[in-house]
Amino acid sequence: MSFALLFSGQGHQHPAMLPWLADDAVMQAMRAHLGVEDWRLALADAAWAQRNDNAQILLTGLSLAAWGQIAPLVAQPAAIAGYSVGELAAFSAAGVMDTTTALALAPQRAAAMDECARGAPGGLLAVSGLPVDKLQALLEQTGLAIAIRNGIDSVVVGGPVAALAPAQTLAALAGAHCTPLRVSVASHTPWMQGAADRFSSTLASVSLRPPAATLYSNAADRIRDAASAAHALAAQIATTVRWDECLENIMARQVGCVLEIGPGQALARMWNQRYPGIPARACDDFRSAAAIAAWLNSHDDR
């Protein structure tokens, strides 16, 4: 069997997600980091859910727990990638760090970004349907930067809060579909360079290992050693997430299926639109870890 893992980023979390998750040690540690007893109840509060620190800790913890409960039932994945903050769980799943380290890094990553954002408040805007020339014109007019590249005509732009509303208006007038994202920082743009530098310093004191599985980064293609892992984890905070390239790299591995680990189905949907011949599903589609494992195990190499 050959399959790939995609670890979700923030923005699609909801109180009913991953209903099959058992309350294991990882979940308990996550709740301790969050300072809450009932994360589903906390997540129902929109203000709490939108906070960058809560979201990053929550997404990392849930993804680590989900994969930890699925992994004993399946073989090693053929390829792994994480979307934005999903890289923490992805790198852990690939063996670069243990779950305790990954979960401990989540609040430190969020704190570095929040501190940076206090000096330069920002946000993100998803933009689809703009040809390259019109997108470039939009960036020049507004001063925003590409934060995430999902495809040729599907990107997320980011930058100062004051520039986002004018950008949405201009993009809509040019025929684009726009969606403001539920984040409060200009992730993956130059405005986060201070956060990237601070997180790089944090990672310098962390013991990382070479990945035990094929691992692709948002910022540095395939990760082959501990040094490149540390560099990539910090660099992606302030540089464009090249998700389209991550998907191309995984497709080249000729996997039989793809599983998204995290809330919602955004990454699975993106994969299915791009590569309809290789099925992708999300953990949120299932009611048990055993059902997820059965689906993965039913897809042999193609």
Side-chain angles (χ1 to χ4, degrees), residues 139-160:
L139 297 176
E140 292 174 357
Q141 284 179 275
T142 61
L144 297 178
I146 296 178
I148 302 172
R149 196 178 66 212
N150 292 321
I152 295 175
D153 64 347
S154 177
V155 301
V156 175
V157 299

Side-chain angles (χ1 to χ4, degrees), residues 46 121 164 186 225:
L164 294 173
D225 53 46

Side-chain angles (χ1 to χ4, degrees), residues 31 41 68 70 80 82 97 99 118 120 124 161 173 184 192 195 211 216 233 236 253 258 265 269 272 280 298:
R31 294 202 311 273
L41 182 62
I70 297 167
I80 301 173
M97 67 187 92
T99 57
R118 279 192 284 273
L124 300 174
V161 170
L173 289 173
S184 56
M192 285 288 110
Y216 294 108
L233 283 169
Q236 64 108 275
R253 303 293 298 179
V258 173
Q265 297 88 15
R269 189 179 303 117
N272 285 326
S298 71

Side-chain angles (χ1 to χ4, degrees), residues 7 59-61 63-64 67 80 85-94 97 102:
F7 285 85
L59 268 292
T60 302
S63 295
L64 290 168
W67 174 239
I80 301 173
V85 70
E87 281 205 333
L88 285 178
F91 278 48
S92 178
M97 67 187 92

Side-chain angles (χ1 to χ4, degrees), residues 8-187:
S8 310
Q10 65 192 85
H12 297 279
Q13 56 267 28
H14 57 93
M17 64 185 177
L18 306 173
W20 52 269
L21 270 179
D23 188 29
D24 61 10
V26 176
M27 297 287 285
Q28 293 164 18
M30 178 196 76
R31 294 202 311 273
H33 278 289
L34 289 169
V36 300
E37 284 298 320
D38 188 334
W39 63 269
R40 295 189 189 277
L41 182 62
L43 197 55
D45 178 350
W48 187 94
Q50 194 167 350
R51 277 182 46 177
N52 184 52
D53 54 349
N54 291 337
Q56 293 202 32
I57 296 168
L58 182 72
L59 268 292
T60 302
L62 292 177
S63 295
L64 290 168
W67 174 239
Q69 293 170 33
I70 297 167
L73 307 176
V74 298
Q76 180 173 282
I80 301 173
Y83 190 92
S84 188
V85 70
E87 281 205 333
L88 285 178
F91 278 48
S92 178
V96 171
M97 67 187 92
D98 60 29
T99 57
T100 300
T101 300
L103 189 53
L105 284 172
Q108 296 181 74
R109 182 182 188 273
M113 296 174 73
D114 286 341
E115 180 181 331
C116 199
R118 279 192 284 273
L124 300 174
L125 176 71
V127 179
S128 60
L130 275 188
V132 174
D133 58 336
K134 290 188 177 181
L135 174 61
Q136 186 58 41
L138 176 69
L139 297 176
E140 292 174 357
Q141 284 179 275
T142 61
L144 297 178
I146 296 178
I148 302 172
R149 196 178 66 212
N150 292 321
I152 295 175
D153 64 347
S154 177
V155 301
V156 175
V157 299
V161 170
L164 294 173
Q168 183 172 356
T169 299
L170 289 170
L173 289 173
H177 176 73
C178 302
T179 304
L181 301 189
R182 293 186 299 166
V183 297
S184 56
V185 295
S187 310

